[in-house]
């Protein structure tokens, strides 16, 4: 252990690196840390010299973290969390807390929960900053780097990525999948649809590179049967809008279909196949529960969401 080298790296350097990994901007980092941009640049320069790495480099008009900086991110986040526990031993007070929470959702989850959830959190902690991101822009890597606190998303239970063992998944809402279609669709007048009906028409798919192939798709493949999916979109809302103007079928969450504006006017049919178990889940990095503020935020997310869908 090189104690002399370690002694040249302080919490100031680690906090600056942590914020820079989140913002990728000296100016924004300076604003968040209530420092001048020149002070942040000086701290980064000292850390670069100590670590022998550029940490960030400019690509066009953007800053990009080096592989070393990205690799250090989760460890730095944990060090800061542990130090926070040491210096803040008093009970957490949401009314007085002035920190920041961040949450990523798919658009479908946002429509289902975000408005009421945000109002609930801000009522209890009026001085916080709450950042809600699109999951596609800040995904599971954000949890690992410490730049994101939680992700909330719908998925079938076969889908959680098994490679990321440091992430914790907790189901909040159990759900089922249904089939949506245009009210003038040839299948809309039928009381129920068969598997041949379901596979006889083309479908709209939802893209998500983080999740594995859904259970029911694998089950269909085992039976040498597949859905025709000529169109893939980013989220439920876009898919529902396409249903209004085509004979494409869309398989989605019942909870979402019953609450989303985009799904109003579409016809709902029960699926003619076993889709498997589906849920809305909360995902976080297992080390984040060491922070009392994060633990409080987690408790609010869980309690409020489950209360909405009892």
């Amino acid at each position: 252990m090189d104690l002399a080298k370690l002694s040249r790296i302080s919490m100031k350097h680690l906090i600056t690196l942590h914020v820079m990994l989140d913002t990728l901007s000296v100016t924004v980092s300076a604003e968040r840390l209530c420092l001048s941009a020149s002070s942040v640049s000086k701290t980064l320069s000292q850390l670069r010299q100590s670590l022998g790495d550029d940490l960030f480099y400019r690509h066009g008009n953007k800053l990009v973290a080096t592989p070393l900086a990205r690799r250090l991110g989760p460890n730095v986040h944990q060090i800061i969390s542990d130090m926070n526990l040491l210096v803040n031993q008093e009970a957490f007070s949401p009314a007085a807390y002035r920190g920041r929470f961040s949450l990523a959702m798919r658009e479908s989850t946002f429509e289902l929960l975000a408005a009421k959830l945000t109002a609930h959190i801000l009522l209890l902690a009026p001085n916080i900053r709450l950042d809600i991101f699109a999951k596609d822009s800040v995904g599971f890597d954000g949890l690992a780097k410490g730049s994101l606190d939680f992700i909330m998303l719908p998925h079938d239970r076969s889908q959680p990525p098994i490679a990321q063992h440091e992430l914790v998944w907790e189901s909040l809402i159990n759900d089922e999948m249904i089939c949506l279609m245009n009210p003038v669709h040839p299948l809309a007048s039928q009381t129920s649809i068969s598997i041949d009906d379901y596979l006889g028409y083309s479908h709209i798919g939802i893209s998500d590179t983080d999740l594995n192939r859904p259970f029911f798709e694998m089950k269909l493949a085992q039976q040498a049967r597949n859905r025709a999916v000529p169109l893939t979109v980013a989220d439920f809302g876009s898919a529902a809008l396409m249903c209004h103007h085509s004979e494409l079928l869309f398989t989605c969450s019942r909870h979402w279909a019953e609450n989303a504006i985009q799904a109003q006017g579409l016809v709902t049919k029960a699926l003619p196949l076993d889709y498997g178990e589906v849920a809305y889940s909360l995902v976080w990095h297992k080390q984040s529960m060491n922070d009392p503020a994060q633990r409080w935020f987690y408790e609010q997310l869980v309690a409020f969401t489950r209360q909405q869908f009892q």
Side-chain angles (χ1 to χ4, degrees), residues 18 22 77 100-105 131-135 137-152 167 283-285 288 294:
H18 173 69
D22 187 17
H77 175 64
R100 170 179 172 268
F101 296 119
S102 57
L103 175 66
M105 300 179 174
D131 296 327
I132 301 180
F133 300 98
K135 176 192 162 293
S137 64
V138 187
F140 295 107
D141 285 345
L143 295 177
K145 294 176 182 177
S147 59
L148 183 66
D149 298 326
F150 296 94
I151 292 176
M152 190 180 294
L167 299 184
V283 191
W284 69 93
H285 195 283
S288 65
Q294 294 291 324

Side-chain angles (χ1 to χ4, degrees), residues 192-207:
S192 61
I193 58 176
S194 67
I195 186 66
D196 289 331
D197 291 332
Y198 181 76
L199 297 178
Y201 286 88
S202 293
H203 295 251
I204 304 170
I206 300 296
S207 60

Side-chain angles (χ1 to χ4, degrees), residues 178-188 193 197-206 227-233 236 238-252 266-269:
I178 48 87
C179 182
L180 291 182
M181 62 189 69
N182 191 307
V184 297
H185 193 285
L187 298 178
I193 58 176
D197 291 332
Y198 181 76
L199 297 178
Y201 286 88
S202 293
H203 295 251
I204 304 170
I206 300 296
R227 297 190 306 164
V229 186
L231 175 65
T232 299
V233 296
F236 288 8
S238 301
L241 291 176
M242 294 303 300
C243 272
H244 281 286
H245 301 283
S246 70
E247 289 190 352
L248 294 170
L249 302 178
F250 175 43
T251 303
C252 70
L266 294 175
V267 173
T268 299
K269 298 291 183 182

Side-chain angles (χ1 to χ4, degrees), residues 2 77 97 110 119 127 137 144 157 159 169 179 192 257 266 287:
D2 191 341
H77 175 64
Y97 186 64
F110 190 94
N127 299 308
S137 64
R157 291 179 186 269
Q159 286 181 313
W169 290 67
C179 182
S192 61
L266 294 175
Q287 294 178 333

